[in-house]
Amino acid sequence: MRDAQFDVRGSRIRWTESEGVGPARVYVHGLGAASAAYHAHIAARPELAGRRSLFLDLPGHGLSDRPADFGYTLEDHADAVAAALEEAGAHGAELIAHSMGGSVAIVLAHRRPDLVSRLVLTEANLDPAPAGTAGSSRIAAYEEEQFVKEGHARVLEQAGPVWAATMRLADPRALHRSATGLVRGTDPTMRVMLMGLSVERVFLQGALSGELVGRDELVASGVRVVTVPGAGHNVMLDNATAFAAAVADRV
């Protein structure tokens, strides 16, 4: 396990790491998740083995610290990831990022292009104000104190077993602020940032999740959109073979 300071109070963002050669692959999880639980099995596959791999937990999640006075906006998370990559000496990394983690990765690539050489985004949030059925919207519908006192437990009861297993490890206040930041989005939007980037960009959409909104526009901007059969939001769990092929650039 390694760590880096991400705020003035000395809070630490942490990651586990496997040794290897070539540009680092940095795996970033979604809201209420943890990187190793969603991605360690992917990095261990033969087509991906041998590369340096970092499994990074965002502030408030997993192994990382959860300061009560941190904002947990997408920009805050991106700055924390930047601190980790700086500490790890992982300039020019490939970011393999899921859901909210994909939004964080887009913001990071926009703000710190020196740190990112490639993005592989799995159903990343590209627009503010997602549908009310989205997990982030359900969480953000609560006031912060209400969520901390009772909402967290209610959302855990409603979440599927996979998400609940890692969400219960996330700090409730950090979870609410992260969800609120995701619903609020960025200016410019994550979609606009993504289309304006010059690095290689791959967007994975689970076929079971439906058609990707604005697909043609993304493709026209140079984003390679891959629809993964038999997969929903958690593509890396639903179709690990196709997911690994996309990370290995074999699709």
Side-chain angles (χ1 to χ4, degrees), residues 51-211:
R51 284 283 290 276
R52 185 186 182 192
S53 300
L54 283 65
F55 306 98
L56 186 67
D57 286 343
L58 296 170
H61 294 72
L63 301 170
S64 293
D65 287 348
R66 46 209 68 204
D69 58 351
F70 192 64
Y72 298 98
T73 65
L74 292 173
E75 294 87 354
D76 290 334
H77 281 303
D79 288 346
V81 174
L85 299 188
E86 291 275 14
E87 179 67 25
H91 290 72
E94 296 183 14
L95 268 63
I96 298 91
H98 180 220
S99 197
M100 184 187 81
S103 305
V104 172
I106 291 167
V107 174
L108 175 63
H110 176 75
R111 292 158 71 105
R112 291 291 308 274
D114 59 306
L115 293 176
V116 181
S117 63
R118 182 176 184 243
L119 292 175
V120 179
L121 307 172
T122 308
E123 297 212 355
N125 300 83
L126 300 180
D127 305 299
T133 54
S136 56
S137 294
R138 295 202 307 270
I139 292 171
Y142 289 90
E143 295 295 332
E144 182 173 307
E145 293 305 323
Q146 181 190 22
F147 182 77
V148 171
K149 291 178 181 178
E150 57 185 89
H152 186 228
R154 289 180 181 174
V155 171
L156 274 176
E157 291 176 355
Q158 299 165 358
V162 174
W163 195 24
T166 53
M167 190 196 298
R168 64 170 54 94
L169 304 177
D171 178 77
R173 197 172 302 277
L175 187 61
H176 184 271
R177 291 181 189 173
S178 295
T180 301
L182 189 58
V183 169
R184 182 170 56 247
T186 56
D187 184 17
T189 66
M190 298 84 80
R191 182 182 297 272
V192 170
M193 288 185 196
L194 177 61
M195 292 191 298
L197 295 174
S198 59
V199 298
E200 181 185 354
R201 294 150 292 159
V202 180
F203 194 104
L204 304 182
Q205 176 79 356
L208 302 179
S209 297
E211 184 68 22

Side-chain angles (χ1 to χ4, degrees), residues 42 45 47-48 204 239-251:
I42 296 296
R45 291 179 64 96
E47 60 265 46
L48 297 176
L204 304 182
N239 191 336
T241 298
F243 185 88
V247 176
D249 199 21
R250 295 181 181 175
V251 294

